[in-house]
PDB file of all heavy atoms in Angstrom:
ATOM      1  N   ILE A 265      49.480 328.474 270.873  1.00 94.00           N
ATOM      2  CA  ILE A 265      49.269 327.553 269.744  1.00 94.00           C
ATOM      3  C   ILE A 265      50.255 327.873 268.618  1.00 94.00           C
ATOM      4  O   ILE A 265      50.901 326.979 268.063  1.00 94.00           O
ATOM      5  CB  ILE A 265      47.810 327.659 269.218  1.00 94.00           C
ATOM      6  CG1 ILE A 265      46.835 327.176 270.299  1.00 94.00           C
ATOM      7  CG2 ILE A 265      47.631 326.872 267.938  1.00 94.00           C
ATOM      8  CD1 ILE A 265      45.377 327.518 270.015  1.00 94.00           C
ATOM      9  N   MET A 266      50.391 329.164 268.310  1.00 94.00           N
ATOM     10  CA  MET A 266      51.304 329.579 267.240  1.00 94.00           C
ATOM     11  C   MET A 266      52.740 329.191 267.576  1.00 94.00           C
ATOM     12  O   MET A 266      53.485 328.732 266.711  1.00 94.00           O
ATOM     13  CB  MET A 266      51.227 331.105 267.025  1.00 94.00           C
ATOM     14  CG  MET A 266      49.925 331.628 266.510  1.00 94.00           C
ATOM     15  SD  MET A 266      49.621 331.243 264.780  1.00 94.00           S
ATOM     16  CE  MET A 266      50.691 332.385 263.935  1.00 94.00           C
ATOM     17  N   SER A 267      53.123 329.340 268.853  1.00 91.00           N
ATOM     18  CA  SER A 267      54.490 329.011 269.270  1.00 91.00           C
ATOM     19  C   SER A 267      54.762 327.522 269.098  1.00 91.00           C
ATOM     20  O   SER A 267      55.828 327.125 268.616  1.00 91.00           O
ATOM     21  CB  SER A 267      54.717 329.374 270.741  1.00 91.00           C
ATOM     22  OG  SER A 267      54.421 330.714 270.952  1.00 91.00           O
ATOM     23  N   MET A 268      53.796 326.703 269.504  1.00 89.00           N
ATOM     24  CA  MET A 268      53.973 325.254 269.373  1.00 89.00           C
ATOM     25  C   MET A 268      54.090 324.869 267.898  1.00 89.00           C
ATOM     26  O   MET A 268      54.943 324.071 267.517  1.00 89.00           O
ATOM     27  CB  MET A 268      52.779 324.514 269.985  1.00 89.00           C
ATOM     28  CG  MET A 268      52.603 324.669 271.476  1.00 89.00           C
ATOM     29  SD  MET A 268      53.752 323.728 272.467  1.00 89.00           S
ATOM     30  CE  MET A 268      53.218 322.055 272.220  1.00 89.00           C
ATOM     31  N   LEU A 269      53.217 325.450 267.086  1.00 91.00           N
ATOM     32  CA  LEU A 269      53.204 325.064 265.671  1.00 91.00           C
ATOM     33  C   LEU A 269      54.427 325.598 264.920  1.00 91.00           C
ATOM     34  O   LEU A 269      54.844 325.011 263.926  1.00 91.00           O
ATOM     35  CB  LEU A 269      51.918 325.564 264.996  1.00 91.00           C
ATOM     36  CG  LEU A 269      50.624 324.879 265.449  1.00 91.00           C
ATOM     37  CD1 LEU A 269      49.416 325.517 264.783  1.00 91.00           C
ATOM     38  CD2 LEU A 269      50.656 323.386 265.146  1.00 91.00           C
ATOM     39  N   ALA A 270      54.994 326.689 265.430  1.00 89.00           N
ATOM     40  CA  ALA A 270      56.149 327.272 264.742  1.00 89.00           C
ATOM     41  C   ALA A 270      57.370 326.369 264.835  1.00 89.00           C
ATOM     42  O   ALA A 270      58.277 326.462 264.015  1.00 89.00           O
ATOM     43  CB  ALA A 270      56.467 328.647 265.338  1.00 89.00           C
ATOM     44  N   ALA A 271      57.399 325.489 265.830  1.00 80.00           N
ATOM     45  CA  ALA A 271      58.589 324.649 266.026  1.00 80.00           C
ATOM     46  C   ALA A 271      58.396 323.237 265.512  1.00 80.00           C
ATOM     47  O   ALA A 271      59.256 322.390 265.683  1.00 80.00           O
ATOM     48  CB  ALA A 271      58.943 324.617 267.506  1.00 80.00           C
ATOM     49  N   SER A 272      57.254 322.976 264.903  1.00 80.00           N
ATOM     50  CA  SER A 272      56.977 321.612 264.463  1.00 80.00           C
ATOM     51  C   SER A 272      56.268 321.656 263.115  1.00 80.00           C
ATOM     52  O   SER A 272      55.453 322.552 262.893  1.00 80.00           O
ATOM     53  CB  SER A 272      56.077 320.953 265.520  1.00 80.00           C
ATOM     54  OG  SER A 272      56.135 319.575 265.402  1.00 80.00           O
ATOM     55  N   PRO A 273      56.579 320.741 262.205  1.00 78.00           N
ATOM     56  CA  PRO A 273      55.901 320.793 260.898  1.00 78.00           C
ATOM     57  C   PRO A 273      54.377 320.722 261.046  1.00 78.00           C
ATOM     58  O   PRO A 273      53.649 321.433 260.379  1.00 78.00           O
ATOM     59  CB  PRO A 273      56.424 319.568 260.167  1.00 78.00           C
ATOM     60  CG  PRO A 273      57.603 319.092 260.920  1.00 78.00           C
ATOM     61  CD  PRO A 273      57.493 319.598 262.315  1.00 78.00           C
ATOM     62  N   GLU A 274      53.923 319.840 261.955  1.00 83.00           N
ATOM     63  CA  GLU A 274      52.489 319.763 262.243  1.00 83.00           C
ATOM     64  C   GLU A 274      52.292 319.095 263.597  1.00 83.00           C
ATOM     65  O   GLU A 274      53.153 318.359 264.064  1.00 83.00           O
ATOM     66  CB  GLU A 274      51.742 318.985 261.144  1.00 83.00           C
ATOM     67  CG  GLU A 274      52.224 317.567 260.990  1.00 83.00           C
ATOM     68  CD  GLU A 274      51.422 316.765 259.976  1.00 83.00           C
ATOM     69  OE1 GLU A 274      50.746 317.385 259.128  1.00 83.00           O
ATOM     70  OE2 GLU A 274      51.463 315.536 260.046  1.00 83.00           O
ATOM     71  N   LEU A 275      51.173 319.401 264.227  1.00 87.00           N
ATOM     72  CA  LEU A 275      50.849 318.774 265.513  1.00 87.00           C
ATOM     73  C   LEU A 275      49.396 318.334 265.487  1.00 87.00           C
ATOM     74  O   LEU A 275      48.560 319.001 264.881  1.00 87.00           O
ATOM     75  CB  LEU A 275      51.051 319.771 266.659  1.00 87.00           C
ATOM     76  CG  LEU A 275      52.500 320.116 267.030  1.00 87.00           C
ATOM     77  CD1 LEU A 275      52.519 321.256 268.045  1.00 87.00           C
ATOM     78  CD2 LEU A 275      53.247 318.920 267.605  1.00 87.00           C
ATOM     79  N   SER A 276      49.139 317.220 266.146  1.00 87.00           N
ATOM     80  CA  SER A 276      47.756 316.766 266.179  1.00 87.00           C
ATOM     81  C   SER A 276      46.985 317.601 267.212  1.00 87.00           C
ATOM     82  O   SER A 276      47.586 318.207 268.113  1.00 87.00           O
ATOM     83  CB  SER A 276      47.684 315.286 266.532  1.00 87.00           C
ATOM     84  OG  SER A 276      47.998 315.102 267.890  1.00 87.00           O
ATOM     85  N   PHE A 277      45.685 317.594 267.061  1.00 90.00           N
ATOM     86  CA  PHE A 277      44.808 318.322 267.985  1.00 90.00           C
ATOM     87  C   PHE A 277      45.082 317.842 269.423  1.00 90.00           C
ATOM     88  O   PHE A 277      45.193 318.649 270.349  1.00 90.00           O
ATOM     89  CB  PHE A 277      43.345 318.059 267.587  1.00 90.00           C
ATOM     90  CG  PHE A 277      42.348 318.854 268.368  1.00 90.00           C
ATOM     91  CD1 PHE A 277      41.977 320.125 267.961  1.00 90.00           C
ATOM     92  CD2 PHE A 277      41.779 318.336 269.527  1.00 90.00           C
ATOM     93  CE1 PHE A 277      41.049 320.861 268.687  1.00 90.00           C
ATOM     94  CE2 PHE A 277      40.854 319.062 270.253  1.00 90.00           C
ATOM     95  CZ  PHE A 277      40.495 320.332 269.828  1.00 90.00           C
ATOM     96  N   THR A 278      45.226 316.530 269.585  1.00 86.00           N
ATOM     97  CA  THR A 278      45.453 315.951 270.920  1.00 86.00           C
ATOM     98  C   THR A 278      46.780 316.419 271.512  1.00 86.00           C
ATOM     99  O   THR A 278      46.848 316.737 272.701  1.00 86.00           O
ATOM    100  CB  THR A 278      45.483 314.404 270.814  1.00 86.00           C
ATOM    101  OG1 THR A 278      44.548 314.004 269.844  1.00 86.00           O
ATOM    102  CG2 THR A 278      45.212 313.753 272.139  1.00 86.00           C
ATOM    103  N   GLU A 279      47.823 316.451 270.668  1.00 82.00           N
ATOM    104  CA  GLU A 279      49.137 316.899 271.161  1.00 82.00           C
ATOM    105  C   GLU A 279      49.059 318.345 271.642  1.00 82.00           C
ATOM    106  O   GLU A 279      49.579 318.682 272.708  1.00 82.00           O
ATOM    107  CB  GLU A 279      50.182 316.767 270.048  1.00 82.00           C
ATOM    108  CG  GLU A 279      50.681 315.355 269.839  1.00 82.00           C
ATOM    109  CD  GLU A 279      51.608 315.227 268.644  1.00 82.00           C
ATOM    110  OE1 GLU A 279      51.298 315.810 267.574  1.00 82.00           O
ATOM    111  OE2 GLU A 279      52.623 314.539 268.752  1.00 82.00           O
ATOM    112  N   LEU A 280      48.402 319.182 270.839  1.00 88.00           N
ATOM    113  CA  LEU A 280      48.265 320.599 271.223  1.00 88.00           C
ATOM    114  C   LEU A 280      47.477 320.728 272.528  1.00 88.00           C
ATOM    115  O   LEU A 280      47.874 321.446 273.446  1.00 88.00           O
ATOM    116  CB  LEU A 280      47.536 321.367 270.123  1.00 88.00           C
ATOM    117  CG  LEU A 280      48.378 321.913 268.980  1.00 88.00           C
ATOM    118  CD1 LEU A 280      47.476 322.478 267.896  1.00 88.00           C
ATOM    119  CD2 LEU A 280      49.336 322.992 269.458  1.00 88.00           C
ATOM    120  N   ARG A 281      46.360 320.007 272.588  1.00 89.00           N
ATOM    121  CA  ARG A 281      45.488 320.095 273.775  1.00 89.00           C
ATOM    122  C   ARG A 281      46.243 319.649 275.035  1.00 89.00           C
ATOM    123  O   ARG A 281      46.217 320.327 276.062  1.00 89.00           O
ATOM    124  CB  ARG A 281      44.261 319.209 273.551  1.00 89.00           C
ATOM    125  CG  ARG A 281      43.222 319.305 274.653  1.00 89.00           C
ATOM    126  CD  ARG A 281      42.247 318.165 274.549  1.00 89.00           C
ATOM    127  NE  ARG A 281      42.940 316.890 274.704  1.00 89.00           N
ATOM    128  CZ  ARG A 281      42.429 315.706 274.367  1.00 89.00           C
ATOM    129  NH1 ARG A 281      41.234 315.643 273.834  1.00 89.00           N
ATOM    130  NH2 ARG A 281      43.111 314.602 274.547  1.00 89.00           N
ATOM    131  N   ASP A 282      46.953 318.520 274.936  1.00 80.00           N
ATOM    132  CA  ASP A 282      47.666 318.004 276.108  1.00 80.00           C
ATOM    133  C   ASP A 282      48.827 318.904 276.512  1.00 80.00           C
ATOM    134  O   ASP A 282      49.061 319.143 277.696  1.00 80.00           O
ATOM    135  CB  ASP A 282      48.182 316.573 275.837  1.00 80.00           C
ATOM    136  CG  ASP A 282      47.029 315.598 275.670  1.00 80.00           C
ATOM    137  OD1 ASP A 282      45.888 315.971 276.004  1.00 80.00           O
ATOM    138  OD2 ASP A 282      47.266 314.475 275.194  1.00 80.00           O
ATOM    139  N   ALA A 283      49.561 319.404 275.511  1.00 79.00           N
ATOM    140  CA  ALA A 283      50.734 320.234 275.820  1.00 79.00           C
ATOM    141  C   ALA A 283      50.322 321.561 276.440  1.00 79.00           C
ATOM    142  O   ALA A 283      51.021 322.088 277.308  1.00 79.00           O
ATOM    143  CB  ALA A 283      51.553 320.468 274.561  1.00 79.00           C
ATOM    144  N   LEU A 284      49.195 322.099 275.999  1.00 86.00           N
ATOM    145  CA  LEU A 284      48.798 323.431 276.466  1.00 86.00           C
ATOM    146  C   LEU A 284      47.766 323.386 277.592  1.00 86.00           C
ATOM    147  O   LEU A 284      47.415 324.424 278.159  1.00 86.00           O
ATOM    148  CB  LEU A 284      48.246 324.250 275.291  1.00 86.00           C
ATOM    149  CG  LEU A 284      49.247 324.482 274.150  1.00 86.00           C
ATOM    150  CD1 LEU A 284      48.572 325.159 272.976  1.00 86.00           C
ATOM    151  CD2 LEU A 284      50.413 325.331 274.633  1.00 86.00           C
ATOM    152  N   GLY A 285      47.292 322.205 277.905  1.00 86.00           N
ATOM    153  CA  GLY A 285      46.321 322.063 278.992  1.00 86.00           C
ATOM    154  C   GLY A 285      45.024 322.795 278.723  1.00 86.00           C
ATOM    155  O   GLY A 285      44.429 323.365 279.642  1.00 86.00           O
ATOM    156  N   MET A 286      44.609 322.800 277.468  1.00 91.00           N
ATOM    157  CA  MET A 286      43.355 323.488 277.108  1.00 91.00           C
ATOM    158  C   MET A 286      42.218 322.476 277.011  1.00 91.00           C
ATOM    159  O   MET A 286      42.453 321.285 276.816  1.00 91.00           O
ATOM    160  CB  MET A 286      43.506 324.166 275.740  1.00 91.00           C
ATOM    161  CG  MET A 286      44.352 325.406 275.742  1.00 91.00           C
ATOM    162  SD  MET A 286      44.304 326.116 274.086  1.00 91.00           S
ATOM    163  CE  MET A 286      45.336 327.541 274.311  1.00 91.00           C
ATOM    164  N   THR A 287      41.009 322.977 277.080  1.00 93.00           N
ATOM    165  CA  THR A 287      39.861 322.084 276.864  1.00 93.00           C
ATOM    166  C   THR A 287      39.653 321.964 275.353  1.00 93.00           C
ATOM    167  O   THR A 287      40.135 322.822 274.580  1.00 93.00           O
ATOM    168  CB  THR A 287      38.587 322.658 277.495  1.00 93.00           C
ATOM    169  OG1 THR A 287      38.313 323.914 276.850  1.00 93.00           O
ATOM    170  CG2 THR A 287      38.746 322.867 278.992  1.00 93.00           C
ATOM    171  N   ASP A 288      38.930 320.948 274.948  1.00 94.00           N
ATOM    172  CA  ASP A 288      38.650 320.758 273.516  1.00 94.00           C
ATOM    173  C   ASP A 288      37.979 321.996 272.922  1.00 94.00           C
ATOM    174  O   ASP A 288      38.352 322.477 271.856  1.00 94.00           O
ATOM    175  CB  ASP A 288      37.722 319.539 273.315  1.00 94.00           C
ATOM    176  CG  ASP A 288      38.484 318.228 273.465  1.00 94.00           C
ATOM    177  OD1 ASP A 288      39.681 318.279 273.788  1.00 94.00           O
ATOM    178  OD2 ASP A 288      37.873 317.167 273.272  1.00 94.00           O
ATOM    179  N   GLY A 289      36.989 322.523 273.664  1.00 94.00           N
ATOM    180  CA  GLY A 289      36.217 323.662 273.177  1.00 94.00           C
ATOM    181  C   GLY A 289      37.076 324.911 273.018  1.00 94.00           C
ATOM    182  O   GLY A 289      37.012 325.608 272.002  1.00 94.00           O
ATOM    183  N   ASN A 290      37.903 325.155 274.032  1.00 94.00           N
ATOM    184  CA  ASN A 290      38.780 326.317 274.022  1.00 94.00           C
ATOM    185  C   ASN A 290      39.756 326.260 272.845  1.00 94.00           C
ATOM    186  O   ASN A 290      39.934 327.235 272.108  1.00 94.00           O
ATOM    187  CB  ASN A 290      39.552 326.320 275.354  1.00 94.00           C
ATOM    188  CG  ASN A 290      39.987 327.711 275.739  1.00 94.00           C
ATOM    189  OD1 ASN A 290      39.765 328.654 274.999  1.00 94.00           O
ATOM    190  ND2 ASN A 290      40.608 327.828 276.894  1.00 94.00           N
ATOM    191  N   LEU A 291      40.355 325.079 272.686  1.00 95.00           N
ATOM    192  CA  LEU A 291      41.339 324.912 271.613  1.00 95.00           C
ATOM    193  C   LEU A 291      40.664 325.066 270.248  1.00 95.00           C
ATOM    194  O   LEU A 291      41.192 325.743 269.360  1.00 95.00           O
ATOM    195  CB  LEU A 291      42.012 323.539 271.741  1.00 95.00           C
ATOM    196  CG  LEU A 291      43.127 323.234 270.745  1.00 95.00           C
ATOM    197  CD1 LEU A 291      44.259 324.254 270.854  1.00 95.00           C
ATOM    198  CD2 LEU A 291      43.692 321.833 270.964  1.00 95.00           C
ATOM    199  N   THR A 292      39.482 324.482 270.111  1.00 95.00           N
ATOM    200  CA  THR A 292      38.754 324.586 268.833  1.00 95.00           C
ATOM    201  C   THR A 292      38.471 326.048 268.496  1.00 95.00           C
ATOM    202  O   THR A 292      38.663 326.486 267.357  1.00 95.00           O
ATOM    203  CB  THR A 292      37.410 323.808 268.922  1.00 95.00           C
ATOM    204  OG1 THR A 292      37.696 322.483 269.345  1.00 95.00           O
ATOM    205  CG2 THR A 292      36.691 323.779 267.599  1.00 95.00           C
ATOM    206  N   THR A 293      38.029 326.809 269.502  1.00 95.00           N
ATOM    207  CA  THR A 293      37.711 328.227 269.269  1.00 95.00           C
ATOM    208  C   THR A 293      38.948 328.994 268.800  1.00 95.00           C
ATOM    209  O   THR A 293      38.892 329.763 267.834  1.00 95.00           O
ATOM    210  CB  THR A 293      37.179 328.857 270.579  1.00 95.00           C
ATOM    211  OG1 THR A 293      36.197 328.008 271.113  1.00 95.00           O
ATOM    212  CG2 THR A 293      36.611 330.237 270.355  1.00 95.00           C
ATOM    213  N   HIS A 294      40.064 328.772 269.500  1.00 96.00           N
ATOM    214  CA  HIS A 294      41.296 329.497 269.137  1.00 96.00           C
ATOM    215  C   HIS A 294      41.783 329.090 267.747  1.00 96.00           C
ATOM    216  O   HIS A 294      42.192 329.942 266.958  1.00 96.00           O
ATOM    217  CB  HIS A 294      42.395 329.214 270.163  1.00 96.00           C
ATOM    218  CG  HIS A 294      42.200 329.958 271.444  1.00 96.00           C
ATOM    219  ND1 HIS A 294      41.873 331.287 271.484  1.00 96.00           N
ATOM    220  CD2 HIS A 294      42.297 329.552 272.739  1.00 96.00           C
ATOM    221  CE1 HIS A 294      41.776 331.680 272.743  1.00 96.00           C
ATOM    222  NE2 HIS A 294      42.017 330.642 273.526  1.00 96.00           N
ATOM    223  N   ILE A 295      41.732 327.796 267.471  1.00 96.00           N
ATOM    224  CA  ILE A 295      42.200 327.333 266.161  1.00 96.00           C
ATOM    225  C   ILE A 295      41.311 327.897 265.054  1.00 96.00           C
ATOM    226  O   ILE A 295      41.795 328.312 264.004  1.00 96.00           O
ATOM    227  CB  ILE A 295      42.267 325.784 266.116  1.00 96.00           C
ATOM    228  CG1 ILE A 295      43.475 325.317 266.932  1.00 96.00           C
ATOM    229  CG2 ILE A 295      42.394 325.272 264.682  1.00 96.00           C
ATOM    230  CD1 ILE A 295      43.630 323.840 267.048  1.00 96.00           C
ATOM    231  N   ARG A 296      40.017 327.957 265.324  1.00 95.00           N
ATOM    232  CA  ARG A 296      39.103 328.516 264.322  1.00 95.00           C
ATOM    233  C   ARG A 296      39.455 329.983 264.046  1.00 95.00           C
ATOM    234  O   ARG A 296      39.493 330.415 262.892  1.00 95.00           O
ATOM    235  CB  ARG A 296      37.656 328.387 264.801  1.00 95.00           C
ATOM    236  CG  ARG A 296      36.672 328.520 263.648  1.00 95.00           C
ATOM    237  CD  ARG A 296      35.250 328.232 264.079  1.00 95.00           C
ATOM    238  NE  ARG A 296      35.058 326.851 264.490  1.00 95.00           N
ATOM    239  CZ  ARG A 296      34.269 326.474 265.496  1.00 95.00           C
ATOM    240  NH1 ARG A 296      33.631 327.387 266.215  1.00 95.00           N
ATOM    241  NH2 ARG A 296      34.118 325.207 265.793  1.00 95.00           N
ATOM    242  N   ALA A 297      39.757 330.725 265.122  1.00 95.00           N
ATOM    243  CA  ALA A 297      40.111 332.149 264.951  1.00 95.00           C
ATOM    244  C   ALA A 297      41.391 332.281 264.109  1.00 95.00           C
ATOM    245  O   ALA A 297      41.473 333.132 263.217  1.00 95.00           O
ATOM    246  CB  ALA A 297      40.318 332.794 266.317  1.00 95.00           C
ATOM    247  N   LEU A 298      42.355 331.417 264.386  1.00 96.00           N
ATOM    248  CA  LEU A 298      43.614 331.468 263.636  1.00 96.00           C
ATOM    249  C   LEU A 298      43.411 331.010 262.189  1.00 96.00           C
ATOM    250  O   LEU A 298      44.043 331.533 261.267  1.00 96.00           O
ATOM    251  CB  LEU A 298      44.670 330.583 264.320  1.00 96.00           C
ATOM    252  CG  LEU A 298      45.189 331.090 265.670  1.00 96.00           C
ATOM    253  CD1 LEU A 298      45.979 330.011 266.403  1.00 96.00           C
ATOM    254  CD2 LEU A 298      46.047 332.340 265.489  1.00 96.00           C
ATOM    255  N   GLN A 299      42.505 330.059 262.020  1.00 95.00           N
ATOM    256  CA  GLN A 299      42.201 329.547 260.679  1.00 95.00           C
ATOM    257  C   GLN A 299      41.523 330.635 259.841  1.00 95.00           C
ATOM    258  O   GLN A 299      41.850 330.825 258.670  1.00 95.00           O
ATOM    259  CB  GLN A 299      41.259 328.356 260.845  1.00 95.00           C
ATOM    260  CG  GLN A 299      41.458 327.259 259.828  1.00 95.00           C
ATOM    261  CD  GLN A 299      40.455 326.132 260.053  1.00 95.00           C
ATOM    262  OE1 GLN A 299      39.801 326.040 261.087  1.00 95.00           O
ATOM    263  NE2 GLN A 299      40.336 325.267 259.066  1.00 95.00           N
ATOM    264  N   GLU A 300      40.593 331.347 260.470  1.00 95.00           N
ATOM    265  CA  GLU A 300      39.878 332.426 259.759  1.00 95.00           C
ATOM    266  C   GLU A 300      40.836 333.529 259.315  1.00 95.00           C
ATOM    267  O   GLU A 300      40.647 334.155 258.291  1.00 95.00           O
ATOM    268  CB  GLU A 300      38.776 333.009 260.657  1.00 95.00           C
ATOM    269  CG  GLU A 300      37.527 332.139 260.663  1.00 95.00           C
ATOM    270  CD  GLU A 300      36.570 332.491 261.786  1.00 95.00           C
ATOM    271  OE1 GLU A 300      36.790 333.513 262.468  1.00 95.00           O
ATOM    272  OE2 GLU A 300      35.607 331.718 262.001  1.00 95.00           O
TER     273      GLU A 300
END
Side-chain angles (χ1 to χ4, degrees):
Chain A
I265 295 167
M266 294 287 285
S267 304
M268 295 285 289
L269 291 176
S272 199
E274 60 176 20
L275 287 172
S276 72
F277 186 87
T278 324
E279 282 174 316
L280 274 172
R281 185 195 61 196
D282 294 347
L284 299 174
M286 286 184 180
T287 62
D288 284 4
N290 206 357
L291 184 59
T292 306
T293 312
H294 284 314
I295 286 177
R296 199 173 295 143
L298 291 167
Q299 214 181 346
E300 280 166 9

